[in-house]
Amino acid sequence: PDARVGSGGATLNGLLVAAELLSSLDSYTAVTEDALKKSEGRPARKILILHMGRDFPFDACCRCFSSIPGMWNVNGESHLALSSVMTHLDYLLYMLDRICAGSPPGVWVSSSDMMLVENNTSPTTGGLINWESFKGGVMAVAIPGTKDYAKRHGVYRVGPQ
């Protein structure tokens, strides 16, 4: 295969490795989605594949490990989440935990190049998505972007547009 598989190829490779590991931990001899489902003695599983993105020139590590103040905004007032600094990864995992709360087992793919923000919401109010109407399949959480931005990022089409 080509040495530059890109983030799509990396996603598939990461998913295969995780699925093989989880299947083998449950004593399956082949990769199966049953390894994600709830079974006796353990809850349902979710896999997070996190794309680390490109180099960030202002940090010794990548953007994911850049230090940021641990704050959130509620009705125009800033509140400290921690008494110290946190990394972008800490905040991203916190937000993904809120988005994933109550979701069925499955695979989550996220980039670390962006900052997820929720407005006017306390960090103690529970999940951000009502999963009761989700019947399975694929769900995407995204923002609209320009064609120029899309050329350098993963894209998908919604409807006939």
Side-chain angles (χ1 to χ4, degrees):
D2 190 334
R4 295 192 65 228
V5 295
S7 59
T11 298
L12 292 175
N13 189 43
L15 177 58
L16 176 62
V17 170
E20 287 174 338
L21 174 66
L22 294 176
S23 294
S24 69
L25 288 174
D26 284 349
S27 301
Y28 290 106
T29 57
V31 173
T32 175
E33 69 179 84
D34 292 338
L36 294 177
K37 296 176 181 171
K38 181 178 178 179
S39 69
E40 188 176 330
R42 72 160 175 77
R45 294 171 168 149
K46 296 173 187 162
I47 298 172
L48 172 62
I49 298 174
L50 186 63
H51 291 271
M52 301 305 281
R54 57 197 77 77
D55 292 333
F56 190 50
F58 304 108
D59 200 67
C61 300
C62 65
R63 183 177 303 199
C64 202
F65 296 103
S66 297
S67 298
I68 58 174
M71 302 183 81
W72 73 87
N73 187 304
V74 178
N75 296 324
E77 295 181 32
S78 294
H79 300 272
L80 277 176
L82 301 169
S83 59
S84 61
V85 250
M86 57 195 297
T87 67
H88 182 92
L89 178 62
D90 295 324
Y91 185 75
L92 180 61
L93 291 174
Y94 165 77
M95 288 302 297
L96 287 172
D97 184 57
R98 294 191 29 84
I99 292 170
C100 298
S103 70
V107 178
W108 288 82
V109 180
S110 177
S111 168
S112 65
D113 283 354
M114 77 325 199
M115 179 68 83
L116 296 173
V117 177
E118 61 177 315
N119 291 324
N120 300 322
T121 305
S122 167
T124 58
T125 58
L128 298 176
I129 295 176
N130 180 351
W131 291 100
E132 291 176 11
S133 62
F134 183 65
K135 303 296 184 212
V138 176
M139 175 185 271
V141 178
I143 59 168
T146 64
K147 288 181 182 180
D148 185 52
Y149 182 83
K151 286 184 210 176
R152 298 181 313 276
H153 296 82
V155 297
Y156 54 88
R157 182 186 298 208
V158 179
Q161 300 175 349

